[in-house]
Amino acid sequence: MDILLSNSSDKPLYEQITVQIKGQIMDGTLAPGQALPSMRALARDLRLSVITVQRAYEDLTRDGFLETIPGKGSFVSAQNAAFIREEQLRMAEDHLQKAAEIGRGHGISYEQLAKILRLFYEE
Protein backbone atom coordinates (compact mmCIF):
# COMPACT_ATOMS: atom_id res chain seq x y z
CA MET A 1 0.00 0.00 0.00
CA ASP A 2 1.55 3.26 -1.16
CA ILE A 3 0.86 6.41 0.82
CA LEU A 4 2.66 9.67 0.17
CA LEU A 5 2.39 12.44 2.74
CA SER A 6 3.15 16.11 2.41
CA ASN A 7 4.00 18.32 5.35
CA SER A 8 3.28 21.36 3.18
CA SER A 9 -0.30 20.28 2.44
CA ASP A 10 -3.16 22.18 4.04
CA LYS A 11 -4.79 18.81 4.88
CA PRO A 12 -3.89 17.12 8.17
CA LEU A 13 -1.81 13.94 7.91
CA TYR A 14 -4.65 11.64 9.01
CA GLU A 15 -6.85 13.10 6.26
CA GLN A 16 -4.14 12.57 3.65
CA ILE A 17 -3.97 8.91 4.70
CA THR A 18 -7.77 8.59 4.62
CA VAL A 19 -8.10 10.12 1.14
CA GLN A 20 -5.36 7.94 -0.32
CA ILE A 21 -6.71 4.70 1.15
CA LYS A 22 -10.24 5.57 -0.06
CA GLY A 23 -8.82 6.22 -3.51
CA GLN A 24 -7.03 2.87 -3.56
CA ILE A 25 -10.22 1.09 -2.50
CA MET A 26 -12.34 2.87 -5.10
CA ASP A 27 -9.92 2.21 -7.95
CA GLY A 28 -9.56 -1.47 -7.02
CA THR A 29 -5.94 -1.35 -5.86
CA LEU A 30 -7.16 -2.56 -2.47
CA ALA A 31 -9.65 -5.40 -2.89
CA PRO A 32 -12.58 -6.26 -0.60
CA GLY A 33 -11.40 -8.44 2.27
CA GLN A 34 -7.76 -7.40 1.86
CA ALA A 35 -5.91 -6.81 5.12
CA LEU A 36 -4.41 -3.41 5.78
CA PRO A 37 -1.19 -2.99 7.72
CA SER A 38 -1.65 -2.74 11.45
CA MET A 39 -1.86 0.77 12.81
CA ARG A 40 1.55 0.38 14.45
CA ALA A 41 3.16 -0.97 11.28
CA LEU A 42 1.75 1.82 9.10
CA ALA A 43 2.71 4.45 11.68
CA ARG A 44 6.25 3.06 11.74
CA ASP A 45 6.48 2.97 7.91
CA LEU A 46 5.18 6.55 7.61
CA ARG A 47 7.16 7.75 10.65
CA LEU A 48 4.00 9.02 12.34
CA SER A 49 2.28 8.67 15.65
CA VAL A 50 0.00 5.65 16.01
CA ILE A 51 -2.72 8.12 17.03
CA THR A 52 -2.57 9.76 13.58
CA VAL A 53 -3.02 6.42 11.80
CA GLN A 54 -5.71 5.40 14.29
CA ARG A 55 -7.70 8.52 13.43
CA ALA A 56 -7.47 7.69 9.71
CA TYR A 57 -8.57 4.07 10.27
CA GLU A 58 -11.44 5.20 12.51
CA ASP A 59 -12.66 7.64 9.82
CA LEU A 60 -12.43 4.92 7.15
CA THR A 61 -14.35 2.50 9.38
CA ARG A 62 -17.01 5.12 10.12
CA ASP A 63 -17.42 5.81 6.40
CA GLY A 64 -17.81 2.09 5.63
CA PHE A 65 -14.51 1.55 3.84
CA LEU A 66 -12.89 -0.63 6.51
CA GLU A 67 -14.02 -3.34 8.88
CA THR A 68 -11.99 -3.83 12.03
CA ILE A 69 -11.99 -7.21 13.73
CA PRO A 70 -10.56 -7.08 17.25
CA GLY A 71 -7.42 -9.20 17.51
CA LYS A 72 -7.22 -9.74 13.73
CA GLY A 73 -6.86 -6.26 12.21
CA SER A 74 -8.47 -3.97 9.68
CA PHE A 75 -9.78 -5.17 6.32
CA VAL A 76 -11.22 -3.53 3.24
CA SER A 77 -14.99 -3.69 3.60
CA ALA A 78 -16.94 -5.78 1.12
CA GLN A 79 -18.83 -2.77 -0.21
CA ASN A 80 -21.45 -2.74 -2.87
CA ALA A 81 -20.99 -0.91 -6.14
CA ALA A 82 -23.70 1.65 -5.29
CA PHE A 83 -21.78 2.82 -2.21
CA ILE A 84 -18.57 3.30 -4.19
CA ARG A 85 -20.44 5.10 -6.96
CA GLU A 86 -22.06 7.45 -4.42
CA GLU A 87 -18.67 8.29 -2.92
CA GLN A 88 -17.22 8.99 -6.37
CA LEU A 89 -20.21 11.17 -7.23
CA ARG A 90 -19.70 13.14 -4.02
CA MET A 91 -16.04 13.71 -4.90
CA ALA A 92 -17.00 14.90 -8.41
CA GLU A 93 -19.57 17.29 -6.91
CA ASP A 94 -16.90 18.76 -4.63
CA HIS A 95 -14.60 19.43 -7.59
CA LEU A 96 -17.41 20.86 -9.71
CA GLN A 97 -18.45 23.16 -6.87
CA LYS A 98 -14.89 24.51 -6.68
CA ALA A 99 -14.84 25.01 -10.46
CA ALA A 100 -18.15 26.90 -10.29
CA GLU A 101 -16.83 29.15 -7.50
CA ILE A 102 -13.69 29.91 -9.52
CA GLY A 103 -15.80 30.61 -12.60
CA ARG A 104 -18.14 32.99 -10.78
CA GLY A 105 -15.28 34.72 -9.03
CA HIS A 106 -13.29 35.31 -12.21
CA GLY A 107 -15.97 36.04 -14.79
CA ILE A 108 -15.87 32.68 -16.54
CA SER A 109 -19.29 31.95 -18.01
CA TYR A 110 -21.27 28.78 -17.38
CA GLU A 111 -21.07 28.01 -21.09
CA GLN A 112 -17.25 28.19 -21.02
CA LEU A 113 -17.08 25.93 -17.97
CA ALA A 114 -19.52 23.46 -19.51
CA LYS A 115 -17.45 23.38 -22.71
CA ILE A 116 -14.27 22.69 -20.73
CA LEU A 117 -15.99 19.92 -18.74
CA ARG A 118 -17.28 18.35 -21.97
CA LEU A 119 -13.73 18.36 -23.42
CA PHE A 120 -12.30 16.65 -20.33
CA TYR A 121 -15.16 14.16 -20.15
CA GLU A 122 -14.83 13.14 -23.79
CA GLU A 123 -11.04 12.66 -23.67
Side-chain angles (χ1 to χ4, degrees), residues 3 6 12 20 23 28 37 39 44 46 48 54 60 79 97-98 101 106 110 119 123:
I3 296 179
S6 171
Q20 291 181 50
M39 289 181 217
R44 184 181 61 247
L46 298 175
L48 297 173
Q54 179 182 10
L60 289 162
Q79 303 174 27
Q97 180 180 5
K98 289 176 186 170
E101 290 170 0
H106 297 285
Y110 168 78
L119 287 172
E123 280 184 344

Side-chain angles (χ1 to χ4, degrees), residues 12 18 29-30 34 37 39 42 49-50 56 65 77 79 98 115:
T18 302
T29 303
L30 295 173
Q34 185 173 344
M39 289 181 217
L42 186 58
S49 161
V50 174
F65 285 89
S77 182
Q79 303 174 27
K98 289 176 186 170
K115 184 176 181 180

Side-chain angles (χ1 to χ4, degrees), residues 24-71:
Q24 291 179 36
I25 292 170
M26 290 190 306
D27 72 13
T29 303
L30 295 173
Q34 185 173 344
L36 267 64
S38 72
M39 289 181 217
R40 287 185 183 156
L42 186 58
R44 184 181 61 247
D45 291 347
L46 298 175
R47 301 175 199 262
L48 297 173
S49 161
V50 174
I51 294 170
T52 301
V53 175
Q54 179 182 10
R55 171 79 189 266
Y57 277 31
E58 286 173 350
D59 288 356
L60 289 162
T61 300
R62 181 197 67 225
D63 294 344
F65 285 89
L66 296 183
E67 295 174 354
T68 300
I69 301 170

